[in-house]
Amino acid sequence: MSVVGSALFGAAGAACAGSLAGLLAPARLRAALVGACTAVAGLAGVVAGVAALDGGRWSADLPEVLPLAGVHLAVDALSGLFMVVSGAVVAAVAVYAVGYAGHGVHGASSRGAQAVLPLFAATLVLVPAAASVSTFLLLWEAMALTSLLLVLAEHRQRPAVREAGVWYAVMTHLGLVGLLAGLAWFAGQVGGETFAELRAGGPELSPTVRGTVFVLVTAALASKAGAVPLHAWLPRAHPEAPSHVSALMSAAMVNLGVYGIVRVGFDLLGGGPRWWWLALIATGALSAVYGILQAAMSADLKRLLAYSTSENMGLVLIGIGASGLFAAAGHPALAGVALAAALLHVVNHAAFKALLFCAAGAVLHATGLRDLDRLGGLRATMPMTAGLFALAALGAVALPPGNGFISEWLLLQSLIHGLEVPGVATAIVLPLAVAVIALSAGLAAAVFVKALGVGFFARPRSEQAAKATECPASMLAGMGLLAACCVGLAVLPGVLGGGLNRAVVAAGVDGEAPLRAGGLDVRLDALSSRLAPLWVVAGLTAGVLFASALPRLAARRRERRRNARLWDCGGGAPTPRMAYTATSFAEPLQRVFDDVLAPEQDVDVTHARESAYLVERVRYQRRVPDRIEHRLYRPVMDLLAAAGNSARRLAPGSMHLYLGYGFFGLVTLLVVLAVGW
Amino acid sequence: MSEATFTQLLDLACGGFLLAAVIVLWRRELTAIIQVFALQGLALAAIPLLLGLHEHRADLVAVAAGIAALRAGLLPYLMRRALIASAPAEDRGRRHREGSDERRETQPVVNVAASLLTAAMLTLLAYAVAQPLVALDPTPATRALPVGLAVVLIGFFVLATRRRALAQVVGFLLLDNGITATAFLAASGVPLIVELGVSFDVLLAVLVLQILTTRMRTAFGTTDLDDLRELAD
């Protein structure tokens, strides 16, 4: 058996061992054992993925494991890429979880939650290895169910968890219905359910069948990836889950939605007409802008990160859509670059988002708060966490030298050069997509300045924030691993070049080696452009050092500095309440995007009893509801509730009526039989 | 017993069986309904008895004896006891206000004339539905098969339209009688062990319903099933 196969079986075995340990081990050892087993499973996933990215292929048929269908597994470079991402995130987060879930009070440390965690981790690694419809759906559903159980881990502590769980359960199962319908129909039309048969038969089907399959499957998978307007579960489930679970979901699970779209759209269906990809670009653009706008408005740290996930997946979808568009127009080289950019963004997003969620979890662990308005001043009390959060935020804002910058730069390159593809659609859509990416990058900068500046700098705005202490070593170690990934991806993205090329080819886009791994830099031969991140980092570091050293040198020449109190206009010393909060920081943005966001504001002025000119108290309330959710989901839910209420009239409690239903049912059936015989 | 006598007697038994079901719909006095039900039990027992004599099967004769004991003896006895329990002695002879007499099915959901018409329609329907079954193997027994189905439907109808708990029990038992008759007519009876199980089931169901009826009477003062509606609110 090859390296890939044995590593995958190792991952499954380690996960089972971890699950047993979670069930049986005494509470003292539980977290450590589960964490160790889960980390081993993640590392095995990384090993399998790296071997596959290196060009190793592996497949196995296990007909005895499942009755009727059997289990089919196959790994190519595309699966390998997603396995590496899932495995690395799982391994690092497992180390983090030992500290996070190790102490009794959290619901995440309960026996059940600990037993489910390794299974969820294993499905994250194994889903990309599925090579038949039944295997894929089985693993997919296992992933959805285990993640649902983990989301519900803290339902005793907060009632909001249950609501989030219901939303997540309903949406993930609606997604499963779409996926099941699409893939089953596809398999039925082709006459076989293994991916090899689908790959052979997919391109020959009629355009209607192909289009319907693509729409059904993509809608279901895009919902898992958190694409607007199917994102409603994401900003609920991610904040309410325990933080290590949020990190796994946001950095590994949503990726698998992207994996599915690439696998089905490019590989199994063999590409498609333009409208598929234009729709995908439109969805991605909507997700990117809407997600980051909602993130900008959010004062809840984890909710902000969840919406940012929506944004980043939107960018990835834009890349995939552009790639399909170029492939449909006969430009495989451009298609290769766009797909490579999208896949690289998946990798980068996984690295920084896992770290961000872990750091947010560390803050939650130390203070019990997620509300940015009440945090602040954590840089002094939690310096390590603050530094790690800053590093990840740098990746998320898509500015050099962060790792997000490289993939977004690649994406922009492919879109800008894509203008040479003829056609009205490309001439309109691509510049718009470029504008959307630029807008979302700008907003992302504001979002993460807000999260970092308001949350970690300034002075603490609540007692809990003031009393925070640095988190335990295992959590720091887990975050350190993720930070190392972020730095590696930012400085040396070239090492991924060969693997990305193979993944792009495995997806069925045969642009010959879109990225040239030049060791230290990334070259795009097709577009004759190059980027050397290491030199960018070196240059920036030199520039920052120079800029910060110069004033100091200048200051040294003058007289020594004098400490004086801040000028306070005579109003007394400034209190933390006067500093910017997350809400006030976002207020200008809210004004700019007033028409899009439709915030609900409420100013309540109470006058003093003596005179109407004296104000006793002013209360300001602002809510930014998710408008898409309000407009799209509320009517559907109202309709369902109305249908349920009217159906209740069928059951007024009369015994005769119930018996009558049975009687009329029987008689009607018999009449139909007698007449239709 | 000659073939012709057998057919005549079987048709007579089946006719009596169906007629008893229709009379249950017609009568309002619960005591009379129970009596008619006991007679129907006898008619039902006659079917396996005739089949057993005709086919020279001793086990069918034994089953016939068992059915007669259960459906013409034990079950009517139990129901009569329940009726006495639900309408105590001091109430007897005293006229209650209209609709509250425990011993009469005064106001069925569908009135008696319409019930009888419906029974005719249901019997027609049973004949129409059973035609393909009869066509499979036309013997005297299978030709009478629609009667069993008709009694099943009439029993269900009684169950759905009668208000008194005891009338409902009779409806349920009519339904079960119909099923048993269908089994005998179509396949000369089910295996003995199944027949025993079913009979035991019916007995238990009647005992449980008897207890529930008594409970209803103590809780609501009547055995009108419509009072159960309060439980839904």
Side-chain angles (χ1 to χ4, degrees):
Chain A
M1 196 186 280
S2 72
V3 183
V4 182
S6 32
L8 282 184
F9 281 110
C16 292
S19 185
L20 281 179
L23 276 181
L24 304 177
R28 200 160 34 83
L29 294 173
R30 201 186 290 155
L33 280 176
V34 169
C37 290
T38 314
V40 168
L43 283 178
V46 172
V47 169
V50 166
L53 275 183
D54 249 2
R57 295 178 75 94
W58 174 78
S59 66
D61 290 344
L62 310 167
E64 317 84 36
V65 177
L66 267 187
L68 298 178
V71 167
H72 299 270
L73 298 172
V75 177
D76 58 7
L78 181 62
S79 331
L81 182 72
F82 282 88
M83 264 181 208
V84 170
V85 174
S86 297
V89 170
V90 163
V93 170
V95 175
Y96 171 87
V98 174
Y100 186 79
H103 306 286
V105 286
H106 291 279
S109 62
S110 67
R111 201 178 285 273
Q114 289 282 350
V116 173
L117 182 67
L119 298 180
F120 177 47
T123 56
L124 288 175
V125 171
L126 288 175
V127 164
S132 73
V133 170
S134 50
T135 313
F136 182 76
L137 288 174
L138 191 79
L139 286 168
W140 187 265
E141 179 60 9
M143 178 177 83
L145 284 181
T146 46
S147 58
L148 175 61
L149 289 175
L150 288 170
V151 166
L152 287 171
E154 290 175 352
H155 72 100
R156 280 181 211 281
Q157 279 86 354
R158 282 166 284 129
V161 174
R162 293 179 203 187
E163 197 208 331
V166 170
W167 272 90
Y168 179 40
V170 169
M171 292 211 56
T172 191
H173 282 99
L174 284 181
L176 182 76
V177 169
L179 202 56
L180 185 67
L183 288 179
W185 198 35
F186 189 11
Q189 291 285 328
V190 169
E193 63 127 17
T194 62
F195 282 1
E197 288 165 317
L198 295 183
R199 200 172 287 135
E204 272 115 56
L205 295 177
S206 81
T208 330
V209 175
R210 283 159 47 82
T212 317
V213 168
F214 182 78
V215 168
L216 275 173
V217 170
T218 308
L221 294 166
S223 156
K224 185 59 100 181
V228 177
L230 301 171
H231 67 293
W233 64 275
L234 198 137
R236 289 188 163 79
H238 286 213
E240 296 303 341
S243 294
H244 59 289
V245 178
S246 317
L248 286 179
M249 286 171 70
S250 197
M253 191 177 77
V254 294
N255 294 346
L256 295 176
V258 173
Y259 165 75
I261 293 176
V262 174
R263 177 64 78 192
V264 174
F266 285 95
D267 187 19
L268 301 184
L269 287 168
R274 285 185 176 205
W275 67 266
W276 293 12
W277 309 111
L278 289 175
L280 205 56
I281 292 178
T283 313
L286 184 63
S287 310
V289 173
Y290 192 77
I292 201 67
L293 262 181
Q294 285 289 343
M297 292 304 119
S298 175
D300 179 333
L301 183 53
K302 286 177 79 178
R303 195 172 159 86
L304 177 150
L305 296 178
Y307 270 120
S308 152
T309 300
S310 228
E311 178 234 346
N312 282 292
M313 286 301 124
L315 295 179
V316 171
L317 290 183
I318 292 179
I320 294 173
S323 171
L325 197 62
F326 299 149
H331 285 68
L334 272 174
V337 176
L339 189 57
L343 294 179
L344 185 60
H345 196 65
V346 167
V347 177
N348 283 328
H349 170 252
F352 68 68
K353 190 51 65 65
L355 184 49
L356 282 171
F357 263 116
C358 287
V363 171
L364 184 61
H365 185 83
T367 63
L369 293 175
R370 297 191 325 226
D371 187 355
L372 282 172
D373 287 349
R374 297 174 65 199
L375 288 168
L378 296 174
R379 188 181 60 95
T381 48
M382 306 176 70
M384 299 290 283
T385 307
L388 290 164
F389 190 90
L391 183 71
L394 185 62
V397 296
L399 289 176
N403 54 352
F405 165 68
I406 297 157
S407 42
E408 291 202 24
W409 177 77
L410 274 176
L411 193 57
L412 282 174
Q413 286 285 331
S414 71
L415 289 178
I416 290 169
H417 285 84
L419 283 172
E420 66 196 46
V421 175
V424 182
T426 47
I428 296 170
V429 167
L430 294 183
L432 276 178
V434 170
V436 161
I437 294 175
L439 177 61
S440 66
L443 286 172
V447 167
F448 285 98
V449 165
K450 177 179 95 172
L452 185 67
V454 174
F456 290 87
F457 295 154
R459 283 158 64 186
R461 280 182 293 275
S462 68
E463 211 173 306
Q464 294 100 311
K467 280 198 236 151
T469 49
E470 189 59 270
C471 52
S474 68
M475 286 166 73
L476 285 177
M479 290 194 281
L481 287 174
L482 289 168
C485 291
C486 281
V487 172
L489 285 168
V491 179
L492 294 170
V495 293
L496 266 179
L500 272 179
N501 285 337
R502 278 186 214 101
V504 168
V505 173
V509 177
D510 36 321
E512 69 289 342
L515 303 183
R516 181 108 70 76
L520 295 182
D521 55 354
V522 182
R523 278 182 224 186
L524 305 175
D525 285 351
L527 315 178
S528 64
S529 66
R530 56 179 288 184
L531 172 71
L534 195 57
W535 294 117
V536 172
V537 173
L540 271 172
T541 317
V544 168
L545 279 180
F546 183 70
S548 60
L550 207 62
R552 292 200 178 188
L553 282 177
R556 192 171 287 176
R557 289 221 198 111
R558 277 187 245 134
E559 292 166 37
R560 59 194 170 78
R561 277 188 285 174
R562 198 160 52 88
N563 281 329
R565 234 183 82 186
L566 210 60
W567 185 53
D568 52 23
C569 307
T575 67
R577 298 253 315 157
M578 295 176 186
Y580 265 109
T581 62
T583 313
S584 56
F585 188 86
E587 212 273 340
L589 274 177
Q590 181 199 319
R591 275 172 193 269
V592 173
F593 293 99
D594 201 37
D595 292 337
V596 183
L597 294 165
E600 292 167 5
Q601 302 198 61
D602 197 12
V603 182
D604 189 11
V605 182
T606 313
H607 293 285
R609 203 174 301 151
E610 294 80 24
S611 160
Y613 297 104
L614 295 177
V615 172
E616 193 182 351
R617 197 177 55 196
V618 179
R619 205 161 133 266
Y620 171 78
Q621 216 177 5
R622 184 206 68 162
R623 270 187 63 236
V624 184
D626 192 329
R627 204 179 177 195
I628 290 187
E629 187 189 307
H630 217 66
R631 287 284 170 83
L632 205 69
Y633 289 73
R634 187 54 57 189
V636 175
M637 287 184 347
D638 287 348
L639 199 71
L640 283 179
N645 272 332
S646 54
R648 195 175 289 170
R649 244 178 281 150
L650 291 173
S654 162
M655 193 69 115
H656 293 104
L657 202 59
Y658 298 161
L659 286 166
Y661 288 148
F663 180 67
F664 279 110
L666 178 68
V667 168
T668 313
L669 186 71
L670 288 179
V671 166
V672 168
L673 268 179
V675 171
W677 201 271
Chain B
M1 189 162 47
S2 75
E3 193 69 31
T5 334
F6 167 67
T7 313
Q8 296 265 339
L9 285 175
L10 192 65
D11 285 352
L12 181 66
C14 289
F17 185 63
L18 183 58
L19 189 65
V22 176
I23 292 176
V24 166
L25 275 180
W26 175 44
R27 296 304 300 264
R28 292 187 175 203
E29 291 286 337
L30 288 179
T31 38
I33 287 178
I34 293 169
Q35 261 166 14
V36 173
F37 172 74
L39 289 178
Q40 191 189 34
L42 283 180
L44 175 64
I47 295 170
L49 179 71
L50 286 169
L51 284 171
L53 291 177
H54 184 245
E55 295 171 15
H56 307 290
R57 282 174 54 185
D59 60 333
L60 274 181
V61 178
V63 166
I67 284 179
L70 179 71
R71 299 185 191 239
L74 187 55
L75 293 181
Y77 165 70
L78 286 175
M79 282 190 287
R80 226 169 269 138
R81 227 175 56 172
L83 187 63
I84 291 166
S86 68
E90 62 265 32
D91 285 2
R92 259 183 250 167
R94 190 150 54 98
R95 290 305 304 171
H96 291 264
R97 64 186 168 79
E98 194 61 27
S100 70
D101 188 355
E102 290 303 320
R103 302 168 66 80
R104 278 171 64 84
E105 174 65 48
T106 40
Q107 278 182 324
V109 178
V110 177
N111 67 26
V112 171
S115 296
L116 290 176
L117 277 178
T118 313
M121 301 297 285
L122 290 176
T123 312
L124 281 180
L125 179 66
Y127 269 91
V129 169
Q131 225 151 28
L133 286 177
V134 176
L136 286 177
D137 178 25
T139 62
T142 47
R143 275 201 204 94
L145 188 63
V147 171
L149 283 180
V151 173
V152 169
L153 291 176
I154 293 172
F156 209 154
F157 183 70
V158 170
L159 202 56
T161 57
R162 292 307 187 248
R163 286 184 197 276
R164 294 275 166 241
L166 211 69
Q168 296 247 324
V169 174
V170 173
F172 166 72
L173 289 173
L174 278 187
L175 201 148
D176 190 72
N177 277 354
I179 292 172
T180 314
T182 311
F184 282 125
L185 292 171
S188 299
V190 286
L192 195 62
I193 186 79
V194 179
E195 184 60 47
L196 271 178
V198 171
S199 301
F200 197 60
D201 241 18
V202 170
L203 184 61
L204 275 184
V206 170
L207 287 172
V208 170
L209 287 173
Q210 186 191 351
I211 292 168
L212 286 181
T213 312
T214 320
R215 283 291 179 85
M216 248 182 93
R217 163 111 183 128
T218 41
F220 297 103
T222 69
T223 56
D224 189 335
L225 273 188
D226 271 353
D227 290 330
L228 285 183
R229 199 187 293 235
E230 284 172 29
L231 299 178
D233 302 330

